[in-house]
Amino acid sequence: MDDRHPDDIVVDEKQLHALTVDLFRHAGSEEREAKLIADHLVMANLSGHDSHGVGMIPRYVINIKAGLTPLNRHAQVVLDAGGLLVVDGNAGIGQVAAFEAMQIAIERTKMHGVCAMALRNCSHIGRIGHWGEMAATAGLISTHYVNVIGHKPYVAPFGGADARFSTNPYCCAIPRGDQPPFILDFATSRVAQGKVRVAHNRKKPLFEGALIDRHGNPTTDPGVMFQDPMGAILTFGEHKGYGMALACELLAGAFGTGTMHPATMERGATINNMFTFLVDPGKIGDRAAVLAEIERALGWVIASPPAAGVDKVMVPGDPERKMRAHRRAQGVPIDPTTWGEMLEAGAKVGMNRVDLEKYRG
């Protein structure tokens, strides 16, 4: 279940959280900001999405030190029309801006039954399922469309031979009453850029059909995404994933601070825009009846006899919850390259290397 290796550094969840808080406090974050970052990054690792976990710290520190990601900024409502919101992240820490924006949107949805929110101008907001889970915990349905600007594109359009947009994630979250929520969260690329980074750090090839090199030829070498000129990641599902990626690009970017094109590619720091719909199922119909129908549908689906080699049919969100239980018990694996980069990032913000190593436990 867990893709760990004998040379991985294995860190306890609480130690990893404490390290992350300590590091961002040294970088200049106030306590609440450092905790929100740590909550998000460590939960990504626990969920098995190392691409969006603490391995992002080195890049975050580079942007902070370069002045590209200012600290201790907050979400600002710039359009307030009841159930229609535009929220600006002021280019600050994405985990803070998205958290604050979702708090506002959840409140409005409970008031009006529905809310459409354009969140714009945030630094990297991380794993989008985190925000879907936040809505589902509040009993709300949500969909999220995200685009990325501020750096070179990573993903090729269907039929194209070079990159034109980024990994553009989509999320749909549905509460299930007393059951864990349905959380559909995926990059529209065949694989997230962060997973390419993890494979590159581990010196492992990627599976076939995920990458093309700078000449547009298929490759399994993740190193093509760390060369100049770069290769590109392909979209999932051929034309279907490509269409979904464009939907995210258009909805998030047009209502945000821009879509991916040459004029928005050279800002230096990653900027996320997210267009979110939230609905209170109890305001559309009878909440109990809606939830009961959801359970009937999911019950029918998961009752399918498992295929050979499969324990049981799961629904979106189950794999992450299974991984969380495993990693909370066994620790979070971090490859040596990523761990070394994290130690270097800590040193850049004034942490003592000996103090950093103590978090290994």
Side-chain angles (χ1 to χ4, degrees), residues 40-50 127 130 133 195 317-325 327-328 332:
H40 189 108
L41 296 183
V42 174
M43 181 57 75
N45 284 107
L46 286 173
S47 302
H49 297 296
D50 298 323
R127 183 178 69 93
H130 195 96
E133 288 171 349
K195 293 187 186 297
D318 285 344
E320 286 81 0
R321 287 184 284 267
K322 185 176 180 181
M323 183 64 79
R324 287 172 197 173
R327 288 190 168 182
R328 281 184 168 129
V332 176

Side-chain angles (χ1 to χ4, degrees), residues 23 55 57-59 197 200-201 335-348 353:
L23 191 149
I57 288 174
R59 173 51 54 185
R197 169 179 51 78
H200 182 62
N201 284 349
D335 68 85
T337 299
T338 298
W339 181 256
E341 291 172 348
M342 288 171 59
L343 296 184
E344 290 177 12
K348 286 179 181 178
R353 194 177 184 93

Side-chain angles (χ1 to χ4, degrees), residues 91-104:
I93 294 292
Q95 285 81 6
V96 174
F99 178 81
E100 293 175 345
M102 286 298 297
Q103 281 186 316
I104 298 167

Side-chain angles (χ1 to χ4, degrees), residues 142-190:
S142 66
T143 59
H144 309 255
Y145 302 83
V146 181
N147 86 321
V148 189
I149 59 174
H151 56 62
K152 293 180 180 179
Y154 293 141
V155 182
F158 180 67
D162 70 353
R164 293 288 158 153
F165 47 84
S166 198
T167 54
N168 292 7
Y170 167 81
C171 176
C172 175
I174 303 173
R176 295 177 58 195
D178 294 334
Q179 298 296 315
F182 172 103
I183 305 291
L184 177 65
D185 174 27
F186 57 83
T188 50
S189 54
R190 186 69 176 86

